[in-house]
Short mmCIF file of all heavy atoms in Angstrom, two decimals:
data_model
loop_
_atom_site.label_atom_id
_atom_site.label_comp_id
_atom_site.label_asym_id
_atom_site.label_seq_id
_atom_site.Cartn_x
_atom_site.Cartn_y
_atom_site.Cartn_z
N ILE T 45 -0.26 38.63 -20.66
CA ILE T 45 -0.21 38.34 -19.24
C ILE T 45 1.08 38.91 -18.67
O ILE T 45 2.15 38.73 -19.23
CB ILE T 45 -0.28 36.83 -18.99
CG1 ILE T 45 -1.57 36.29 -19.59
CG2 ILE T 45 -0.19 36.52 -17.52
CD1 ILE T 45 -1.71 34.79 -19.49
N GLY T 46 0.97 39.58 -17.54
CA GLY T 46 2.12 40.14 -16.87
C GLY T 46 2.89 39.09 -16.08
O GLY T 46 2.55 37.91 -16.08
N ARG T 47 3.90 39.51 -15.37
CA ARG T 47 4.83 38.64 -14.67
C ARG T 47 4.12 37.63 -13.76
O ARG T 47 4.53 36.49 -13.66
CB ARG T 47 5.79 39.49 -13.84
CG ARG T 47 6.81 38.71 -13.06
CD ARG T 47 7.78 39.64 -12.36
NE ARG T 47 7.13 40.67 -11.61
CZ ARG T 47 6.64 40.52 -10.37
NH1 ARG T 47 6.74 39.37 -9.77
NH2 ARG T 47 6.07 41.52 -9.75
N CYS T 48 3.07 38.01 -13.12
CA CYS T 48 2.38 37.11 -12.19
C CYS T 48 1.23 36.38 -12.85
O CYS T 48 0.41 35.77 -12.17
CB CYS T 48 1.87 37.90 -10.99
SG CYS T 48 3.20 38.50 -9.94
N GLY T 49 1.13 36.44 -14.15
CA GLY T 49 0.05 35.73 -14.81
C GLY T 49 -1.23 36.52 -14.86
O GLY T 49 -2.26 36.00 -15.27
N ARG T 50 -1.21 37.77 -14.44
CA ARG T 50 -2.42 38.59 -14.49
C ARG T 50 -2.56 39.22 -15.86
O ARG T 50 -1.58 39.59 -16.49
CB ARG T 50 -2.34 39.70 -13.44
CG ARG T 50 -2.36 39.17 -12.03
CD ARG T 50 -2.54 40.32 -11.04
NE ARG T 50 -2.52 39.80 -9.70
CZ ARG T 50 -1.48 39.90 -8.89
NH1 ARG T 50 -0.40 40.52 -9.27
NH2 ARG T 50 -1.53 39.39 -7.69
N LEU T 51 -3.79 39.36 -16.30
CA LEU T 51 -4.02 39.97 -17.60
C LEU T 51 -3.68 41.44 -17.58
O LEU T 51 -3.99 42.15 -16.63
CB LEU T 51 -5.49 39.83 -17.99
CG LEU T 51 -5.95 38.46 -18.42
CD1 LEU T 51 -7.45 38.49 -18.66
CD2 LEU T 51 -5.23 38.01 -19.66
N ASN T 52 -3.04 41.90 -18.62
CA ASN T 52 -2.87 43.33 -18.86
C ASN T 52 -4.05 43.74 -19.74
O ASN T 52 -4.15 43.33 -20.88
CB ASN T 52 -1.56 43.62 -19.60
CG ASN T 52 -0.36 43.40 -18.72
OD1 ASN T 52 -0.38 43.69 -17.54
ND2 ASN T 52 0.70 42.86 -19.30
N THR T 53 -4.95 44.52 -19.18
CA THR T 53 -6.12 44.94 -19.93
C THR T 53 -5.75 46.06 -20.90
O THR T 53 -4.65 46.63 -20.83
CB THR T 53 -7.21 45.46 -18.98
OG1 THR T 53 -6.71 46.64 -18.32
CG2 THR T 53 -7.59 44.41 -17.95
N GLU T 54 -6.68 46.39 -21.77
CA GLU T 54 -6.43 47.49 -22.70
C GLU T 54 -6.15 48.79 -21.94
O GLU T 54 -5.31 49.58 -22.33
CB GLU T 54 -7.63 47.66 -23.64
CG GLU T 54 -7.75 46.52 -24.63
CD GLU T 54 -8.96 46.65 -25.53
OE1 GLU T 54 -9.55 47.74 -25.60
OE2 GLU T 54 -9.30 45.64 -26.16
N GLU T 55 -6.85 48.98 -20.82
CA GLU T 55 -6.62 50.17 -19.99
C GLU T 55 -5.21 50.17 -19.42
O GLU T 55 -4.53 51.20 -19.42
CB GLU T 55 -7.66 50.24 -18.86
CG GLU T 55 -7.57 51.50 -18.03
CD GLU T 55 -7.90 52.78 -18.80
OE1 GLU T 55 -8.57 52.70 -19.86
OE2 GLU T 55 -7.50 53.86 -18.35
N ASP T 56 -4.74 49.02 -18.93
CA ASP T 56 -3.37 48.91 -18.43
C ASP T 56 -2.37 49.30 -19.50
O ASP T 56 -1.42 50.04 -19.25
CB ASP T 56 -3.05 47.47 -17.99
CG ASP T 56 -3.78 47.03 -16.74
OD1 ASP T 56 -4.09 47.90 -15.90
OD2 ASP T 56 -4.02 45.83 -16.61
N ILE T 57 -2.60 48.80 -20.71
CA ILE T 57 -1.68 49.08 -21.81
C ILE T 57 -1.67 50.57 -22.14
O ILE T 57 -0.60 51.17 -22.30
CB ILE T 57 -2.06 48.22 -23.04
CG1 ILE T 57 -1.79 46.74 -22.72
CG2 ILE T 57 -1.27 48.66 -24.28
CD1 ILE T 57 -2.39 45.77 -23.71
N LYS T 58 -2.84 51.20 -22.17
CA LYS T 58 -2.92 52.64 -22.44
C LYS T 58 -2.16 53.45 -21.39
O LYS T 58 -1.51 54.44 -21.70
CB LYS T 58 -4.38 53.11 -22.45
CG LYS T 58 -5.14 52.71 -23.68
CD LYS T 58 -6.58 53.21 -23.58
CE LYS T 58 -7.43 52.56 -24.64
NZ LYS T 58 -8.85 52.86 -24.44
N LEU T 59 -2.27 53.01 -20.13
CA LEU T 59 -1.62 53.72 -19.04
C LEU T 59 -0.15 53.35 -18.86
O LEU T 59 0.55 53.93 -18.05
CB LEU T 59 -2.37 53.47 -17.73
CG LEU T 59 -3.81 53.98 -17.67
CD1 LEU T 59 -4.49 53.49 -16.40
CD2 LEU T 59 -3.83 55.50 -17.74
N GLY T 60 0.30 52.37 -19.61
CA GLY T 60 1.70 51.93 -19.49
C GLY T 60 1.95 51.05 -18.28
O GLY T 60 3.09 50.85 -17.89
N HIS T 61 0.89 50.52 -17.66
CA HIS T 61 1.04 49.66 -16.49
C HIS T 61 1.03 48.19 -16.91
O HIS T 61 0.14 47.44 -16.59
CB HIS T 61 -0.12 49.87 -15.51
CG HIS T 61 -0.22 51.27 -15.02
ND1 HIS T 61 -1.41 51.85 -14.71
CD2 HIS T 61 0.71 52.21 -14.79
CE1 HIS T 61 -1.23 53.09 -14.30
NE2 HIS T 61 0.07 53.33 -14.36
#
Side-chain angles (χ1 to χ4, degrees):
I45 301 176
R47 180 176 50 82
C48 291
R50 294 190 182 103
L51 287 176
N52 289 323
T53 64
E54 290 178 16
E55 184 65 21
D56 290 332
I57 293 167
K58 285 179 193 171
L59 297 172
H61 301 147

